[in-house]
Amino acid sequence: MRVSLFVTCLVDQLWSDVGVCTVEVLRRVGCEVEFDERQTCCGQPAFNTGYCTEARRLAERFIELYEESKTEAIVSPSGSCTAMVHHFPELFADNKEWRERARAVASRTFELSSFLVRVLGVEDVGARFAGRVTWHDACHGLRDLHVHSEPRRLIRNVRDAEFVELENADACCGFGGTFSVKYPEISVAILDQKIEAIERAGVSAVVAGDASCLMQIGGRLSRRGSQVRVMHLAELLAAT
């Protein structure tokens, strides 16, 4: 299957290994991957902060670029950015043409674990990682895209890895995009509950599907002197 990589801003600017690993995993399962270097932000920060006009401009750019692509699917290593693409039709409530174009692009756009399991029917990508790992359910992936069992199935098929279910795995990490900037004290209070659960789990790594959550969790773990590492699902699945 031919797919386009929607790499997202955070991965592009701050965690490029996630993008590289996503391509590696997709190729390993037989996909031909293309990457359009003209891609820009999906507009999520503007949308979440109430700037719908600005978000719509970015959505239009995204739609135009991916309409040019003849790939069968658009795959992203981010539940939150994928969810934003699925919200695009809401931005064009007063414009039927753009609304239909948004729906068409959204229907081809998938979060990585969902694409592997639901679309390709793949649960074992040949990964290997020695250690106890747990999974954090990122809010948008879980609540907007209903991604829950897919990453767990993939992790359980990683050789030498022991999967440990995290207490309150579906609880927010406190990042919430601009929420963590506007309300830092509340953000940290929410985050510390997550950190305490991770420490009680006795794992060597916490895995998630969004770089934003992992940066939030990883920063706090580091400041507390924890030896637990954070890994994006793509990094875990690319490990051999």
Side-chain angles (χ1 to χ4, degrees):
M1 181 181 290
R2 292 181 63 232
V3 304
S4 292
L5 173 66
F6 167 35
V7 75
T8 81
C9 297
L10 287 182
V11 171
D12 181 45
Q13 298 294 322
L14 301 173
W15 206 328
S16 59
D17 280 352
V18 173
V20 172
C21 289
T22 299
V23 172
E24 183 175 335
V25 171
L26 289 171
R27 286 176 174 167
R28 193 186 298 168
V29 297
C31 292
E32 179 185 344
V33 185
E34 71 172 37
F35 176 72
D36 192 331
E37 295 183 359
R38 298 174 299 166
Q39 64 182 263
T40 56
C41 179
C42 63
Q44 183 186 173
F47 180 72
N48 289 350
T49 315
Y51 294 95
C52 291
T53 299
E54 290 78 5
R56 184 158 54 186
R57 293 196 193 105
L58 289 166
E60 289 172 353
R61 172 67 171 168
F62 186 101
I63 293 165
E64 289 171 341
L65 287 179
Y66 284 102
E67 282 178 335
E68 292 181 20
S69 169
K70 303 305 180 184
T71 58
E72 299 169 77
I74 303 160
V75 181
S76 176
S78 167
S80 63
C81 293
T82 300
M84 180 61 208
V85 176
H86 284 249
H87 282 296
F88 279 175
E90 300 172 23
L91 293 170
F92 303 103
D94 59 348
N95 189 316
K96 182 179 179 181
E97 178 189 349
W98 273 102
R99 189 165 64 250
E100 292 306 313
R101 291 171 69 178
R103 284 175 178 158
V105 169
S107 70
R108 296 165 50 213
T109 306
F110 302 89
E111 179 272 337
L112 176 62
S113 71
S114 176
F115 177 72
L116 292 171
V117 176
R118 297 182 192 173
V119 179
L120 298 184
V122 173
E123 296 186 11
D124 186 344
V125 301
R128 184 182 300 275
F129 178 81
R132 284 166 56 92
V133 301
T134 192
W135 172 258
H136 160 68
D137 288 299
C139 292
H140 287 88
L142 178 65
R143 294 170 176 84
D144 277 7
L145 304 177
H146 309 294
V147 172
H148 181 269
S149 66
E150 295 83 358
R152 289 168 171 82
R153 292 186 205 176
L154 291 161
I155 293 171
R156 287 192 174 100
N157 280 294
V158 174
R159 291 155 182 78
D160 298 332
E162 178 185 354
F163 176 70
V164 179
E165 187 65 50
L166 184 65
E167 176 188 343
N168 295 327
D170 60 350
C172 180
C173 69
F175 180 71
T178 55
F179 174 85
S180 61
V181 177
K182 291 181 177 180
Y183 307 102
E185 295 85 0
I186 300 174
S187 174
V188 171
I190 295 171
L191 172 60
D192 279 344
Q193 295 181 36
K194 177 69 64 173
I195 297 299
E196 290 163 7
I198 292 169
E199 292 175 339
R200 286 194 296 270
V203 295
S204 56
V206 55
V207 185
D210 265 284
S212 54
C213 296
L214 291 169
M215 291 168 60
Q216 168 91 338
I217 294 169
R220 191 63 166 166
L221 285 169
S222 176
R223 289 190 292 274
R224 289 169 66 121
S226 174
Q227 297 303 306
V228 179
R229 63 184 291 192
V230 293
M231 295 182 73
H232 190 281
L233 179 65
E235 294 177 305
L236 179 66
L237 296 181
T240 56

